[in-house]
Amino acid sequence: MTNYYLKRGDKAIGRVPFERLDALCKAGKIQETTSVATSAKGPWISFRQLRTEVNSVSADNLGSTKASDGDGL
């Protein structure tokens, strides 16, 4: 699981899992425009962009799993 940092002024706050960031956004504690990164030094993107990327990866993973007909492929 990847953890993220929030940018508050000149400070990086974190390590926060995506699920917690999503809950904070839904509760109005952070905005979709809040800057987040996987490193305390950036590069920074908006939480909205991160959510789009995470949802896209999740959808890709769901689409790539298909039932096997028992042949091991």
Side-chain angles (χ1 to χ4, degrees):
M1 175 186 338
T2 303
N3 288 300
Y4 300 92
Y5 292 85
L6 297 168
K7 189 172 188 179
R8 294 286 186 181
D10 293 337
K11 295 182 180 182
I13 302 169
R15 301 181 5 183
V16 183
F18 175 80
E19 292 77 12
R20 179 71 177 136
L21 289 176
D22 197 37
L24 288 169
C25 188
K26 289 176 181 174
K29 302 284 184 178
I30 66 170
Q31 305 300 313
E32 289 200 350
T33 56
T34 298
S35 295
V36 296
T38 56
S39 166
K41 296 181 181 182
W44 300 95
I45 62 172
S46 70
F47 178 68
R48 177 185 303 127
Q49 184 177 349
L50 175 64
R51 181 188 281 158
T52 299
E53 291 175 8
V54 168
N55 288 339
S56 175
V57 169
S58 295
D60 288 347
N61 287 342
L62 288 174
S64 68
T65 58
K66 59 181 182 179
S68 172
D69 59 3
D71 62 5
L73 299 176

